[in-house]
Amino acid sequence: MIRGNVSKMKLEEALLLYVDMIEGGVEPDKFTYPFVLKACSLLGACDEGIQVHAHVFKMGFEGDVFVQNSLVNMYGKCGAINCARNVFDKMDDKSVASWSSIIGAHACAEMWHECLMLLGEMSSEGRCRVEESTLVNVLSACTHLGSPNLGKCIHGILLRNISELNVVVETSLIDMYVKCGCLEKGLCVFENMSEKNIFSYTVMISGLAIHGHGKEALKVFSEMVEEGFEPDHVVFVGVLSACSHAGLVDEGLQCFKTMQFEQKINPTVQHYGCMVDLLGRIGMLKEAYELIKSMSIKPNDVIWRSLLSACKVHLNLEIGEIAAENLFLLNQSNPGDYLVLANMYAKMQKWDDVAKIRKKMAENNLAQTPGFSLIEAKRKVYKFVSQDRSIPQWNTIYDMIHQMQWQLKFEGYIPDTSQILLDVEEEEKKERLKYHSQKLAIAFGLIHTSEGSPLSITRNLRMCSDCHTYTKYISLIYEREITIRDRHRFHHFKNGTCSCKDYW
Ligand SMILES: *[C@@H]1O[C@H](CO)[C@@H](O)[C@H](O)[C@H]1NC(C)=O
Ligand SMILES: *[C@@H]1O[C@H](CO)[C@@H](O)[C@H](O)[C@H]1NC(C)=O
Ligand SMILES: *[C@@H]1O[C@H](CO)[C@@H](O)[C@H](O)[C@H]1NC(C)=O
Ligand SMILES: *[C@@H]1O[C@H](CO)[C@@H](O)[C@H](O)[C@H]1NC(C)=O
Ligand SMILES: CC(=O)N[C@H]1CO[C@H](CO)[C@@H](O)[C@@H]1O
């Protein structure tokens, strides 16, 4: 009965049955506990789980591998990672399921490095047979760490070990590939799937969106509808953000209508966020502001932030100030927001206002987050911080930057100094622009990778428009494909153009 109730998700009832059983003097056996613990784990009931653990100990089942696995699972789901680890470390006979449980527990706690370490330990103990569920957890570790090479290894293990991958595993593979920058590989897995569900479509559509392939995302979406899947609100977030990343205004507006009036889905704050982004990027700032005013729910800080940054791109101080005011009512802790506004004032030469904002930041104890870029070369990851000249190979990088500068000038590149906030001479501004972290990373990449090989860079902040233009020229002059990932999306530079088509 306990098992039956657990499988029907009547979890509290299952626990009460267990209590009845104890009170009625019926002695549990080792088959009782996995179900009782599963109920605790699904309920996230850590305190009850600990009590059941005590019973397990008193009854003498603490050495049973099934009970131990259930304990590891339960502690993992409850977020008690140390307790999970304790049980696991004391196990004499670890089964495949035990490894799955402990890896799953670390995945729940978002301890991604540990997931990968455990997979390594597991295979070094000769446990080569792996469960799909374990690998799904490890795949999400790769996704979070942005490591496509490890992800490819896992894909290899899967292909060698499992004759037919199920739809859940394939969907995690797609998610891993697209988020690690390998869109082509993700598409390959997607197209090869024998069975797709709404999650696979959603993952593929959002993947195409972050890579700026709006038209393709819409194509996959219509394929999904033709296959008879009911689109839900999550898919629409993907579709709308695809339109926004690719500047497809008409399509985006159309989808937003379809969603509300045909699918009867009430827009959430995320849908509005995409629409504000879409209208804002293309310069329809009034329309974006009107949309916010018409919202049936309260706009959050994300929405105002996206309007503010659109106002910065299109230099509209009037709406920008409204956006900033509303934003600061909701959130005063993000230095980037102040800088966006200060930037607009700087562009308009309103240095007094710039100073006011700097003062406000100082009062709120907010410092500008330094921009950094990471680049992988020679199997190592190198970090570059903007304006940081204390790096070991500074001289070679300095020479390279100057060589690049010459070539760029020759091709017609003009530095865009409008983003520099300081009230200093034009020459000084140009000098600062040269040493943005992304440029340092590119210079390093050009020196230390073989000719023609692609460069892949991850950065913490959004790219400035000068770095964007600069990288387009570099991809043309040096014939390199350059992929830049920031917190929101990917930019693929090739032959002088960027996949974002300058909407970003
Ligand atoms: C759940 O437990 C109740 C008793 O509390 C029992 O009547 C019912 O049949 C159980 N449900 C299942 C699906 O086993
Ligand atoms: C696609 O599936 C076929 C057979 O089902 C297989 O031979 C091929 O290697 C798969 N391609 C990819 C990229 O997975
Ligand atoms: C403010 O914004 C930052 C950055 O987006 C976020 O991390 C933080 O949680 C927000 N704070 C509030 C109170 O919403
Ligand atoms: C690069 O772009 C130019 C036009 O901008 C085009 O003529 C040329 O064929 C492109 N080269 C490659 C390799 O795609
Ligand atoms: C059961 C099985 O096929 N196991 C294989 C899984 O993949 C690893 C790594 O390639 C092999 O060593 C195992 O033999």
Side-chain angles (χ1 to χ4, degrees), residues 301 305 330-331 333-334:
D301 57 337
R305 187 171 294 126
L330 297 168
N331 190 331
S333 55
N334 197 357

Side-chain angles (χ1 to χ4, degrees), residues 462-478:
R462 202 162 164 264
M463 206 181 310
C464 78
S465 63
D466 183 66
C467 283
H468 196 261
T469 311
Y470 188 96
T471 310
K472 284 199 280 189
Y473 276 108
I474 295 284
S475 73
L476 178 72
I477 298 166
Y478 291 87

